[in-house]
Structures are given as C-alpha cells and as structure tokens.
C-alpha cells in the first residue's frame, strides 16, 4: 500500500504554488496563506485570472509545487471564497501525486501555438500547444488523431526527431529541432517532453529573450507577494 502524501511533507505558509482553474489554460502563481495539518485544505491568494473565470464553490482546481528533487501535483475543489481583504480561496485537496523532478533547468508554464513537422523542409505540419518550456526543452500536447500525420504508428516514440515552429507572439516564432524524451497522458491529448537538439543563433536569441521576460514576470510577482506577506501574514510574530 502506498503511503498517503501529506501537504505538511512539502508545504509551509508563505510558499508559492501554481494553481489552475478547470475552465482556464493558465497556471497562476499563488502564495500559500495556510493549510490544515490533515492535508485536506490550502488557502491561496485570489487572483484576477480566477475572478475572470467566475470561480465558484465546488469548481475543480489543479495545483502543483516543485522542489529541486520532486514535483507534487494536487487535485481538489473550491470549498470557500473569502472576499474581505486579503482575498483568498480555500481548496479542499482530494488527491496528491509525487514525481521525481529530472528537469535540467527551470520550466515556465505557457500556452503557445506550435507547428510540428517531420523536418524543416516539410510543407505541412501538425498543430500543437506547448504548455511549458525551458532553455533546454519544451512540453507539448497534441490530439491523438493528429499524431498519425507525424508517425504512421499513430503515436510519437522516444527518440523521434522533429522540427518545431513555436509562436511566442502572433508575428514572432522560434524554430528548432528536438527529440522526444517522454510521454504522459493529458486531458486534451498526449503530452510529450522534448529536448532541443539544434537551434541557430538567431532563434536562440529570440527564445532566450522570451524566457527572460517570463523570469522577470515571476520575479515581479515574488517581490510583490513578499511585500504583501510581510504586512498581512497572521503567522508573523
């Protein structure tokens, strides 16, 4: 029997986790306000993204927290919404999973349109969504019925090489070659991890500039939340 994973094993007040409303494609950074020792509830800051999605009691939520060695993913539902300042929501957790963190560099959650081709000279390609990226690789989700256009067997294999056109904006893209490193199921299709094997200088510069923007955005969030936390944490003595 697998031992139950407790929130207290990896969380503490003030830590930052990522959360996603079931009706949204965006992962949101949130500061943990508090959580129960019996591993069923956590409190996180109420973000604009959730207000725009008309969050309600009972809505399904996904959460994740990453350390140097492990990634924890959590599933739950909204059990309480607090609108008085400081605003927060409470998520009742019903499932926690733990995975080894084998990533070579820090990954950023994104939602970017991408075309995958068999090679750079192929005139046709398959539409996918890149859901996270780093300096060394990306992860993308593809509909199962579209995979046959890339592999006759109907599924992409570890070690397969493809050409990627990743759109960072509607008018700017990054082109690179990559190799499939792994596969996992996803709500919207199959999710694949890719290691970048070749990218020219021009595309590398565009790619790194985009990642720098993501890192700057994260840093601004942490600075803002640190200031808020120092003023409002009920755990400060």
């Amino acid at each position: 029997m697998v031992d139950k994973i407790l929130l207290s094993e990896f969380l503490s007040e003030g830590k930052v986790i990522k959360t996603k409303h079931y009706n949204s494609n965006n992962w949101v950074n949130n500061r943990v306000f508090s959580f129960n020792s019996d591993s069923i509830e956590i409190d996180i800051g109420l973000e604009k993204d959730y207000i725009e999605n008309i969050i309600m009691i009972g809505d399904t939520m996904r959460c994740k927290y990453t350390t140097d060695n492990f990634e924890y993913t959590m599933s739950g539902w909204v059990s309480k919404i607090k609108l008085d300042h400081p605003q927060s929501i409470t998520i009742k957790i019903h499932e926690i999973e733990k995975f080894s963190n084998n990533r070579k560099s820090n990954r950023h959650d994104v939602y970017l349109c991408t075309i995958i081709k068999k090679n750079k000279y192929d005139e046709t390609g398959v539409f996918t969504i890149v859901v996270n990226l780093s300096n060394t690789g990306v992860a993308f989700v593809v509909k199962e019925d579209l995979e046959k256009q890339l592999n006759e067997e109907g599924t992409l294999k570890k070690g397969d090489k493809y050409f990627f056109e990743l759109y960072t904006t509607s008018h700017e893209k990054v082109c690179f070659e990559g190799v499939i490193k792994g596969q996992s199921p996803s709500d919207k299709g199959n999710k694949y991890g890719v290691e970048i094997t070749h990218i020219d200088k021009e595309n590398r510069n565009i790619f790194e500039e985009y990642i720098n923007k993501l890192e700057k955005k994260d840093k601004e969030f942490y600075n803002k939340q640190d200031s808020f936390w120092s003023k409002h944490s009920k755990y400060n003595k």
Side-chain angles (χ1 to χ4, degrees), residues 25-73:
N25 296 312
N26 300 321
W27 285 96
V28 176
N29 287 322
N30 297 93
R31 183 77 68 172
V32 176
F33 285 173
S34 65
F35 65 94
N36 289 358
S37 59
D38 58 2
S39 80
I40 60 172
E41 291 184 340
I42 59 175
D43 287 292
I44 57 178
L46 186 60
E47 293 288 333
K48 180 181 178 181
D49 186 70
Y50 295 147
I51 298 174
E52 291 175 346
N53 279 287
I54 317 179
I55 191 169
M56 300 182 69
I57 299 293
D59 283 357
T60 300
M61 301 288 292
R62 292 281 292 169
C63 314
K64 62 182 178 180
Y65 179 72
T66 304
T67 67
D68 291 339
N69 299 316
F70 299 101
E71 179 172 278
Y72 299 86
T73 62

Side-chain angles (χ1 to χ4, degrees), residues 43-158:
D43 287 292
I44 57 178
L46 186 60
E47 293 288 333
K48 180 181 178 181
D49 186 70
Y50 295 147
I51 298 174
E52 291 175 346
N53 279 287
I54 317 179
I55 191 169
M56 300 182 69
I57 299 293
D59 283 357
T60 300
M61 301 288 292
R62 292 281 292 169
C63 314
K64 62 182 178 180
Y65 179 72
T66 304
T67 67
D68 291 339
N69 299 316
F70 299 101
E71 179 172 278
Y72 299 86
T73 62
M74 296 154 274
S75 299
W77 52 274
V78 179
S79 61
K80 181 180 178 181
I81 300 176
K82 177 176 173 288
L83 296 180
D84 293 334
H85 187 75
Q87 296 177 324
S88 68
I89 64 175
T90 300
I91 301 174
K92 188 177 181 72
I93 301 298
H94 60 73
E95 181 181 33
I96 302 176
E97 294 182 285
K98 178 181 178 181
F99 306 92
S100 295
N101 181 14
N102 298 318
R103 294 170 177 171
K104 297 179 181 179
S105 55
N106 185 41
R107 293 220 165 189
H108 302 275
D109 293 300
V110 294
Y111 196 82
L112 300 174
C113 300
T114 305
I115 302 297
I116 301 180
K117 300 179 179 181
K118 293 181 180 180
N119 57 69
K120 66 184 298 183
Y121 305 105
D122 197 348
E123 295 183 357
T124 62
V126 171
F127 177 83
T128 67
I129 296 294
V130 164
V131 293
N132 65 60
L133 53 78
S134 72
N135 282 309
T136 58
V138 304
F140 68 90
V141 174
V142 59
K143 291 287 187 181
E144 294 180 23
D145 57 340
L146 295 178
E147 292 186 58
K148 293 181 180 179
Q149 297 180 37
L150 296 171
N151 189 305
E152 294 180 355
E153 297 181 13
T155 182
L156 309 188
K157 303 294 185 182
K158 185 176 181 179

